[in-house]
Amino acid sequence: MRYPRDLLGHGPSSRIAWPGEARIAVQFVVNYEEGGENCVLHGDAASEAFLSEIVGAQAWPGQRHWNMESIYEYGARAGFWRLHRLFSERQVPVTVYGVATALKRSPAQVAAMQEAGWEIASHGLKWIEHKDFDIERERAEIAEAIRLHTIVTGERPRGWYSGRCSANTLDLVAETGGFDYVSDSYADDLPYWHEHAGRHQLVIPYTLDANDMRFATAQGFNSGDQFFSYLKDSFDVLYAEGAAGSPKMMSIGLHCRLVGRPGRAAALARFLDYVKGHEKVWLARRIDIARYWTETYPFQPNENRPSRLSEETFVDRFGGVFEHSSWIAKRAFAGELSPATDTATGLHAALTAVFREASEEERLAVLKAHPDLAGKLAEAKRLTESSTEEQASAGLDAVTDHERERFRALNSAYVEKFGFPFIMAVKGRSKDEILAAFETRIDNDRETEFDSACRQVERIALLRLRDMLPD
């Protein structure tokens, strides 16, 4: 069974590079939703109830909510122009998430966006909830959003963000095609590639934490100082990571009716000035980041990843990781494979879980499947390829007559006492270290040594996987 969520991502240290050796890419989004929100004038069943100054707002079925409407109108009439001045005066590039119906109702604002060189990405047809849409209805809404956006702006949108999306949104946008990126994800500090139905789509994750929406949510920002402090701390951490060789991206989400209020706009202005006071900062639109990423880190198809293999191929490739015990690979395949198991560490965890869950008799059979060290099978050159390489790396293929006799005596005594061969992950060890461990462990009781042997089997499996897969 394949688990579709990717909980690994770029891993512990993503060694990417931004243009000009920038330590951080900073991206500002202005959400333009005013005139596209839920409203009975727009044919919706009820008024808007999301992201306003009204504490505990509720939708009013079949009625206009005058206060809600006027709060949204503030964003278009006053907040937008305040943000437009702040960014234009500082020459900071902006991406707009534009709701198509909102853009259509605001031609002056659209013209100002275009004159400033702002990117206008699609924020859907209307600023409404999509979680209960069936696939065909949402597909039709996406198509209509693209059509209307193109008419209003003169250009097809190259970026997409629904925001109030469904579980199908990302896949539907990928199916639609023609988008340089989609941002309906909060999964990372860097872009990544999403695959669906034979297509690949760049995802540039967005943010809900470095976002002025928290002025309108419980336990959010109460003052501009809190907003500024949070943005500054976020920037400082990411900037330091970039200075240490692991650059990231910082997204800041803004709304005309929220941060466009004077007391909050002051905090945004301070943050803009703070960012511009640092060197090696790439201020970019999302489309710029998308195009750079696509050119520099293009999609790399890899159907040989463990989670993508057929059962037959998977077992053939990994069935020998635990010596002569392909049943472990079969059970792991029948379990849960995902992108997290496509690395040596991840696949080792999956295989090891099967081994640890097995009965004592099954684990004993795995121990017995291992050859003696410097034993008869080695002399007869009948070891598996992996065992041959491992024993050779420790010099066990070139023992003296005296060492051979010592290994034979210890092997015989060990098997007689415990009922399974002495097992040790010998890669990188010397003959003296191996003999010393042999002579120490042979004095253990059976329970202790059974556990030690199992741990060594797991260690051998990990070393083998590291030769087969990246980590």
Side-chain angles (χ1 to χ4, degrees), residues 222-294:
N222 291 321
S223 70
D225 286 344
Q226 291 178 344
F227 186 47
F228 171 77
S229 179
Y230 190 84
L231 295 183
K232 177 182 178 298
D233 286 347
S234 300
F235 175 87
D236 288 346
V237 168
L238 295 174
Y239 190 80
E241 290 180 5
S246 186
K248 302 294 193 309
M249 171 184 166
M250 180 180 179
S251 296
I252 299 97
L254 308 170
H255 298 76
C256 302
R257 64 192 174 279
L258 296 177
V259 80
R261 294 282 176 173
R264 297 166 182 160
L268 175 60
R270 289 201 301 275
F271 181 67
L272 288 170
D273 293 339
Y274 181 76
V275 170
K276 294 208 73 175
H278 288 71
E279 63 176 1
K280 295 186 179 299
V281 175
W282 184 30
L283 290 164
R285 302 172 304 172
R286 294 178 93 73
I287 190 68
D288 303 322
I289 293 171
R291 288 169 178 166
Y292 173 81
W293 194 273
T294 299

Side-chain angles (χ1 to χ4, degrees), residues 273-397:
D273 293 339
Y274 181 76
V275 170
K276 294 208 73 175
H278 288 71
E279 63 176 1
K280 295 186 179 299
V281 175
W282 184 30
L283 290 164
R285 302 172 304 172
R286 294 178 93 73
I287 190 68
D288 303 322
I289 293 171
R291 288 169 178 166
Y292 173 81
W293 194 273
T294 299
E295 180 179 345
T296 311
Y297 305 104
F299 173 72
Q300 300 290 340
N302 184 0
E303 294 304 317
N304 289 320
R305 285 174 287 180
S307 65
R308 295 294 186 90
L309 301 177
S310 67
E311 180 179 14
E312 180 181 0
T313 304
F314 181 88
V315 174
D316 180 64
R317 186 170 300 174
F318 302 111
V321 170
F322 281 77
E323 192 87 2
H324 295 297
S325 303
S326 60
W327 59 269
I328 293 178
K330 289 180 181 178
R331 290 186 193 176
F333 185 89
E336 187 177 275
L337 298 179
S338 73
T341 58
D342 288 337
T343 66
T345 297
L347 186 54
H348 180 256
L351 296 172
T352 297
V354 172
F355 177 63
R356 292 175 181 173
E357 289 177 340
S359 67
E360 183 171 337
E361 290 75 19
E362 288 174 316
R363 285 182 289 150
L364 177 60
V366 175
L367 302 187
K368 288 182 175 181
H370 281 260
D372 291 337
L373 295 180
K376 293 180 180 179
L377 289 178
E379 291 182 45
K381 301 187 183 302
R382 291 172 53 197
L383 299 177
T384 64
E385 182 178 347
S386 295
S387 291
T388 298
E389 292 176 356
E390 290 156 2
Q391 294 202 25
S393 72
L396 298 184
D397 60 339

Side-chain angles (χ1 to χ4, degrees), residues 81-91 265 268-269 272:
W81 299 109
R82 184 166 289 120
L83 297 185
H84 186 268
R85 286 192 297 272
L86 284 178
F87 285 103
S88 296
E89 288 169 359
R90 291 163 176 80
Q91 297 184 316
L268 175 60
L272 288 170

Side-chain angles (χ1 to χ4, degrees), residues 37-47 105 126 128 137:
E37 78 278 13
N38 281 288
C39 179
V40 295
L41 294 177
H42 305 158
D44 301 308
S47 63
R105 295 185 172 107
K126 299 170 69 175
I128 59 175
R137 182 183 176 191

